[in-house]
């Protein structure tokens, strides 16, 4: 069978359906080819005997107004506003996340908190100059000890790689707006920011959520698209993309073990970039094919346990940092929306495992995986095995594009070659090999559709690249940064006055407190005659327990002021130096121009 189309969209996930939606709202129909039997991609919601669950949790929060409008145009009044409660399980303890000061201090202890602040101060004074990997990037901003506690084990579980083998680009993209100052401010005062643009996504305390899960969004979207004239074909696996002489395309598609051919003048693809490149005919150049094979993906499966228990724990989700279990995260779907379970006396949990397809666990039978999940949950003290009355397993291949040491060079090669193919646009998380959230994936769909409709020149590769571009005008529409500014920022990252002041303050105050406490515990006829001299500098200080508290508070304040001043003076010096360099460069450019004239 052969069909001819003006435009084909490969993939019915958030990016593909958003492209189709934008086209349909402008009276342009399209054909959407979906390899699976469901829409939504990784944002689907699976239904098992009335129990609905996500492929990972999907909060509906965005700073992109156009995306938020699309959400509400599709679902209208079907959103719930849900409170966010999440924790981190590490070293046998539960840490509130976002961190709360009292809870963190209680779980870490004063000594470990002191060492974390000392580690942060060291990172600020002696940062790693080359932020080539995840470990260096995070350690520079939070200190190695905090990185080791709250970042390392979970990140290595998710990606299956050592943090030294993960590109710093991933950290810059996913943790870009979070700093120690933001974390401390949130821990002490909570998140009181009213301006959506200033909110750090990781720290939000409530979010919108479709009452039947994120898949509801895309199921309704698909229904509305069909009513507007868009055709969606399911179980259509694209195996080959033939580029014809007139720059149109012939797609060879497998459906129910049969092959059929589709012709299209234009193609928008959300296929995994590696698979799309290798499916193109005539064959791409050998360097391009070699670059494509260097892209890799992390696979994912969720073990769903259904419990004969009305309440298990209050969280929406829990991050499992502890290395003694394979599980990486637990979702409590009932706490995302009460309508995710058909019986209010039952609870469904999603235990998330991040794997490679060739890991033995990937091919385990469902029964064995369910038993593993029950054992690990009981080991963590979250459930008792006898509560479990049913379970299932869902696997998702190529869930996460990998940011390893090879990806950046490979991606540059592929981007350059794809520019030579008119009428082909690649979008979405896997289509761009970028770990975008749902909203950024949707924005690439909007841009691709507008490029087709209005011959606009949106560069979808620049969506969600704030590390390399400034946002101007509409959010996430980037413009290149001046090369000199980039170089100076990379060489001399500014110090955070609040964070450095807090670190030096806590280290100073706790150090003085510790010296006083040691002398008091040691005892003797005359306690600390030398240390008493500090009473000349700290009001009300004496070598006593009340004096220890006084010197802790005053020492912390003095250290905070000192650390803040050091950061401010250092930043001011770098700012002046950058300004001087720029003026010097401009003067040299003017002199060269005059010489040419």
């Amino acid at each position: 069978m052969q069909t001819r189309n003006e435009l084909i969209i490969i993939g019915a996930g958030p990016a593909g359906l958003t492209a189709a939606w934008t086209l349909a709202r402008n009276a342009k129909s399209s054909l959407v080819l979906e390899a699976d039997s469901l829409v939504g991609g990784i944002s689907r919601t699976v239904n098992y005997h009335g129990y609905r669950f996500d492929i990972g949790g999907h909060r509906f929060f965005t700073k992109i107004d156009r995306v938020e409008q699309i959400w509400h145009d599709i679902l209208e009044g079907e959103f719930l506003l849900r409170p966010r409660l999440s924790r981190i399980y590490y070293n046998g303890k539960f840490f509130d996340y976002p961190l709360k000061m009292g809870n963190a201090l209680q779980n870490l202890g004063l000594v470990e908190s002191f060492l974390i602040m000392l580690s942060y101060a060291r990172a600020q004074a002696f940062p790693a100059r080359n932020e080539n990997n995840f470990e260096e990037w995070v350690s520079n901003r939070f200190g190695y000890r905090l990185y080791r506690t709250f970042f390392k084990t979970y990140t290595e579980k998710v990606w299956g790689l050592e943090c030294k083998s993960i590109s710093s680009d991933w950290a810059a993209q996913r943790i870009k707006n979070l700093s120690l100052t933001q974390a401390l401010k949130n821990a002490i005062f909570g998140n009181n920011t009213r301006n959506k643009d200033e909110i750090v996504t990781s720290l939000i305390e409530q979010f919108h959520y479709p009452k039947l899960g994120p898949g509801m969004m895309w199921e309704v979207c698909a229904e509305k698209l069909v009513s507007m004239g868009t055709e969606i074909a399911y179980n259509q696996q694209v195996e080959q993309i033939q580029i014809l002489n007139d720059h149109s395309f012939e797609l060879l598609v497998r459906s129910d073990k049969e092959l059929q051919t589709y012709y299209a003048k234009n193609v928008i693809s959300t296929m995994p970039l590696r698979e799309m490149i290798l499916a193109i005919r005539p064959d791409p150049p050998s360097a391009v094919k070699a670059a494509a094979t260097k892209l890799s993906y992390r696979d994912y499966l969720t073990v769903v346990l259904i419990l004969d228990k009305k309440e298990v724990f209050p969280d929406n989700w829990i991050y499992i940092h502890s290395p003694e279990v394979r599980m990486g995260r637990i979702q409590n779907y009932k706490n995302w929306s009460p309508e995710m379970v058909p019986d209010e006396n039952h609870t469904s949990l999603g235990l998330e495992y991040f794997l490679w397809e060739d890991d033995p666990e990937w091919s385990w039978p469902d029964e064995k995986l369910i038993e593993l999940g029950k054992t690990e949950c009981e080991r963590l003290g979250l459930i008792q095995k006898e509560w479990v009355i049913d379970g299932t397993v869902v696997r998702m291949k190529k869930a996460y594009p990998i940011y390893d040491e090879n990806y950046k060079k490979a991606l540059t090669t592929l981007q350059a070659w794809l520019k030579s193919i008119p009428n082909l646009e690649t979008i979405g998380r896997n289509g761009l090999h970028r770990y975008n959230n749902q909203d950024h994936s949707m924005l690439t769909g909007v841009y691709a559709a507008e490029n087709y409709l209005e011959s606009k020149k949106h560069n979808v590769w620049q969506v969600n690249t704030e590390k390399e571009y400034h946002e101007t005008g509409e959010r996430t529409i980037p413009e290149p940064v001046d090369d000199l500014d980039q170089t100076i920022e990379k060489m001399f990252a500014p110090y955070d006055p609040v964070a450095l002041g807090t670190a030096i303050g806590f280290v100073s105050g706790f150090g003085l407190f510790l010296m006083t406490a040691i002398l008091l515990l040691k005892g003797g006829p005359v306690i600390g005659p030398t240390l008493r001299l500090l009473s000349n500098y700290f009001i009300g200080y004496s070598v006593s327990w009340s004096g220890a508290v006084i010197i802790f508070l005053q020492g912390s304040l003095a250290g905070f002021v000192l650390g803040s001043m050091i950061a401010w003076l250092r930043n001011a010096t770098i700012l002046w130096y950058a300004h001087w360099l720029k003026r010097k460069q401009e003067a040299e450019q003017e002199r060269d121009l005059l010489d040419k004239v």
Side-chain angles (χ1 to χ4, degrees):
M1 184 178 110
Q2 297 181 347
T3 63
R4 295 185 179 275
N5 302 270
E6 176 67 25
L7 171 64
I8 287 179
I9 298 171
I10 303 175
L17 289 183
T18 301
W21 178 266
T22 305
L23 292 165
R25 295 289 287 247
N26 286 275
K28 291 287 184 181
S29 61
S30 59
L31 169 63
V32 181
L33 301 178
E34 169 53 43
D36 213 326
S37 58
L38 296 173
V39 296
I42 198 172
S43 296
R44 72 183 60 185
T45 299
V46 180
N47 190 327
Y48 175 75
H49 299 324
Y51 294 89
R52 299 172 68 90
F53 51 91
D54 303 350
I55 309 300
H58 294 275
R59 293 172 288 170
F60 281 68
F61 173 85
T62 184
K63 299 180 183 181
I64 307 169
D65 294 335
R66 298 179 71 178
V67 169
E68 187 162 22
Q69 186 60 53
I70 291 172
W71 285 343
H72 291 283
D73 286 345
I74 294 172
L75 270 192
E76 300 173 359
E78 299 294 332
F79 277 109
L80 304 174
L81 183 62
R82 301 299 295 161
R84 179 252 182 91
L85 176 61
S86 58
R87 289 181 293 171
I88 294 169
Y89 181 86
Y90 176 73
N91 200 23
K93 298 174 182 175
F94 287 95
F95 292 80
D96 293 331
Y97 186 77
L99 296 175
K100 302 286 191 298
M101 183 63 76
N103 171 261
L105 285 173
Q106 180 181 354
N107 285 340
L108 290 170
L110 282 176
V111 173
E112 181 62 23
S113 300
F114 169 78
L115 293 174
I116 283 173
M117 290 299 184
L118 192 62
S119 174
Y120 174 78
R122 181 185 182 281
Q124 290 291 289
F126 307 103
R129 287 300 175 190
N130 297 314
E131 293 182 347
N132 295 321
N133 58 58
F134 181 89
E135 180 173 302
E136 290 170 345
W137 194 98
V138 177
S139 296
N140 272 0
R141 285 156 182 79
F142 296 90
Y144 179 81
R145 205 169 185 97
L146 191 66
Y147 149 77
R148 189 185 66 184
T149 302
F150 289 120
F151 292 92
K152 187 177 189 297
T153 53
Y154 180 74
T155 300
E156 291 181 348
K157 270 190 187 183
V158 172
W159 296 107
L161 300 170
E162 290 186 0
C163 288
K164 289 181 179 179
S165 299
I166 300 171
S167 170
S168 59
D169 291 355
W170 186 77
Q173 180 188 332
R174 301 298 294 182
I175 319 172
K176 55 181 172 270
N177 294 322
L178 181 62
S179 65
L180 189 59
T181 295
Q182 284 279 5
L184 287 170
K185 180 182 175 184
N186 190 83
I188 299 170
F189 303 110
N191 193 345
N192 299 315
T193 304
R194 299 295 182 188
N195 186 346
K196 183 171 68 174
D197 294 341
E198 297 175 2
I199 294 174
V200 177
T201 306
S202 299
L203 304 180
I204 62 171
E205 294 180 352
Q206 59 183 15
F207 54 89
H208 284 98
Y209 188 75
K211 66 181 184 181
L212 294 177
M216 180 186 185
M217 164 76 68
W218 305 114
E219 292 160 12
V220 172
C221 179
E223 292 172 4
K224 291 187 175 182
L225 281 172
V226 170
S227 70
M228 290 189 283
T230 298
E231 183 183 353
I232 302 176
Y234 296 92
N235 300 306
Q236 306 289 310
Q237 182 71 48
V238 176
E239 294 191 349
Q240 186 173 297
I241 303 172
Q242 179 79 33
I243 303 175
L244 305 178
N245 292 334
D246 62 352
H247 302 300
S248 62
F249 303 91
E250 178 184 285
L251 274 59
L252 191 63
V253 180
R254 185 172 298 279
S255 174
D256 298 325
K257 299 183 180 180
E258 295 183 358
L259 288 174
Q260 54 184 323
T261 304
Y262 293 86
Y263 291 93
K265 290 184 179 180
N266 300 269
V267 170
I268 296 174
S269 172
T270 69
M271 287 176 67
L273 187 57
R274 180 182 69 192
E275 276 60 34
M276 188 198 76
I277 294 291
L278 298 178
I280 290 177
R281 301 290 183 275
D283 279 348
S286 57
V288 172
K289 292 177 69 175
T293 59
K294 289 180 180 177
L295 298 182
S296 56
Y297 306 86
R298 187 71 161 156
D299 305 303
Y300 161 103
L301 67 79
T302 184
V303 176
V304 178
L305 302 181
I306 297 170
L307 286 72
D308 186 15
K309 200 76 174 174
K310 188 171 185 177
E311 301 291 343
V312 179
F313 51 79
D315 309 73
N316 307 100
W317 67 92
I318 299 174
Y319 300 101
I320 310 298
H321 286 212
S322 293
E324 62 265 21
V325 294
R326 289 292 309 272
M327 187 193 318
R329 190 169 54 186
I330 305 176
Q331 305 285 347
N332 189 337
Y333 301 116
K334 189 177 184 179
N335 291 341
W336 286 78
S337 167
E339 297 192 44
M340 296 288 276
V341 295
D343 186 338
E344 65 176 11
N345 293 311
H346 291 169
T347 296
S348 62
L349 303 179
L351 321 180
E352 299 179 10
Y353 293 86
F354 308 96
L355 302 165
W356 304 110
E357 194 177 344
D358 56 2
D359 283 340
E361 292 90 343
W362 183 262
S363 56
W364 280 5
D366 290 0
E367 294 77 13
K368 189 173 181 179
L369 287 166
I370 290 168
E371 187 60 34
L372 171 68
K374 289 160 61 176
T375 300
E376 291 197 339
C377 275
E378 188 170 58
R379 183 176 182 180
L380 297 176
L382 295 173
I383 70 166
Q384 296 176 23
K385 280 187 177 183
E386 56 266 26
W387 296 350
V388 179
I389 57 174
D390 200 358
T392 189
V393 177
V394 174
R395 295 166 176 83
M396 177 64 70
K397 294 180 181 180
K398 298 180 177 64
Y400 305 108
I402 296 289
Y403 283 43
D404 59 16
E405 298 162 320
N406 301 314
Y407 103 98
K408 197 169 189 177
K409 185 177 179 181
L411 209 54
T412 300
T413 299
L414 299 180
Q415 287 180 38
W417 184 73
L418 286 170
K419 287 179 181 178
S420 69
I421 306 177
N423 307 327
L424 173 64
E425 191 100 64
T426 180
I427 60 172
R429 174 183 282 200
N430 279 344
L432 298 173
H433 202 82
R434 177 167 292 132
Y435 190 69
N436 285 332
N437 283 334
Q438 180 176 233
D439 56 344
H440 285 109
S441 292
M442 290 175 64
L443 188 63
T444 66
V446 172
Y447 284 174
E450 290 182 347
N451 287 344
Y452 169 77
L453 289 167
E454 306 168 24
S455 298
K456 287 190 175 182
K457 299 299 180 184
H458 294 303
N459 187 344
V460 296
W461 293 95
Q462 292 180 355
V463 171
N464 195 23
T465 55
E466 290 88 339
K467 179 187 176 188
E468 298 165 351
Y469 294 86
H470 286 312
E471 295 174 357
T472 59
E474 185 183 69
R475 296 184 206 91
T476 71
I477 300 180
E479 293 183 358
V481 179
D482 181 83
D483 288 340
L484 180 61
D485 289 342
Q486 279 187 328
T487 303
I488 292 170
E489 182 179 351
K490 187 173 182 180
M491 291 176 63
F492 306 107
Y495 285 179
D496 186 327
V498 175
L500 185 61
T502 302
I504 292 178
F506 186 84
V507 168
S508 302
F510 187 74
L512 293 168
F513 172 88
L514 200 59
M515 286 191 292
T516 305
I518 290 171
L519 289 173
L520 287 169
L521 292 172
K522 185 178 179 182
V526 180
I527 301 175
T530 305
L531 205 61
R532 288 179 186 175
L533 296 175
L534 291 176
S535 62
N536 295 319
Y537 306 99
F538 295 97
I539 300 171
Y541 175 71
S542 62
V543 185
S544 62
W545 288 111
S546 60
V549 174
I550 289 171
I551 204 167
F552 171 75
L553 296 173
Q554 294 186 31
S556 297
L557 180 60
F560 178 84
V561 172
L562 177 63
S564 300
M565 287 180 62
I566 291 171
W568 184 86
L569 288 170
R570 189 264 188 188
N571 293 344
T573 302
I574 296 303
L575 189 64
W576 173 85
Y577 179 63
H579 180 72
W580 177 79
L581 277 181
K582 197 165 188 177
R583 291 292 299 271
K584 182 180 178 182
Q585 184 188 56
E586 290 170 352
E588 289 175 353
Q589 289 173 344
E590 289 176 6
R591 190 161 50 249
D592 290 344
L593 181 61
L594 289 172
D595 289 343
K596 290 177 182 178
V597 173

